[in-house]
Amino acid sequence: MDYKKINAPQSTITRDMVRLSEDTGNVYETVMIIGKRANQIGQEIKHDLETKLQEFASYSENPEEVSENREQIEISRFYERLPKPTLLAAKEYDDGQIYFSMPGKHKNK
């Protein structure tokens, strides 16, 4: 996922929970869905960061020989500036980009 392209806010914003929970009919289920997606996004970001930083891993015998790497610092700063996973998940939910199903819950017609 390209996190640069998601137009999520950098800080917390107030949301209309009644409108946000229209799909599920329950505020708590909506929060649960957003929370689970936020956990997934957090894991993806962590995995991406670890993969990129692995390229800079040094396996020297002396731990005091740690050198500063400008590229590594820039990668870390990029990930620090990303919106939090909960904000990304809330944006995805608001945009209708999250698929979810509720087992055992049937809609009456």
Side-chain angles (χ1 to χ4, degrees):
M1 174 181 280
D2 192 3
Y3 303 108
K4 289 186 223 178
K5 294 181 181 179
I6 295 177
N7 191 18
Q10 290 291 328
S11 61
T12 305
I13 62 171
T14 305
R15 299 182 189 275
D16 181 8
M17 289 305 294
V18 173
R19 187 191 60 76
L20 201 61
S21 62
E22 286 175 350
D23 292 339
T24 62
N26 188 325
V27 173
Y28 301 106
E29 288 178 3
T30 302
V31 171
M32 181 191 67
I33 291 165
I34 293 172
K36 286 186 177 191
R37 178 63 184 139
N39 287 338
Q40 291 173 345
I41 291 171
Q43 291 297 318
E44 289 174 20
I45 290 174
K46 182 179 177 182
H47 178 68
D48 290 347
L49 177 60
E50 288 175 351
T51 302
K52 289 181 181 180
L53 292 180
Q54 191 67 30
E55 298 172 10
F56 302 103
S58 62
Y59 302 102
S60 64
E61 295 291 326
N62 191 355
E64 295 174 2
E65 293 180 5
V66 176
S67 62
E68 183 176 302
N69 187 332
R70 182 55 90 206
E71 290 178 47
Q72 185 177 6
I73 292 170
E74 289 302 316
I75 290 171
S76 296
R77 284 187 181 157
F78 167 77
Y79 280 93
E80 287 174 2
R81 281 185 246 129
L82 284 176
K84 301 293 181 206
T86 50
L87 296 172
L88 293 169
K91 175 70 173 158
E92 285 183 358
Y93 185 86
D94 202 27
D95 292 346
Q97 297 175 341
I98 296 178
Y99 171 78
F100 61 92
S101 64
M102 299 292 200
K105 188 172 184 178
H106 303 287
K107 292 185 178 181
N108 296 331
K109 292 184 177 185

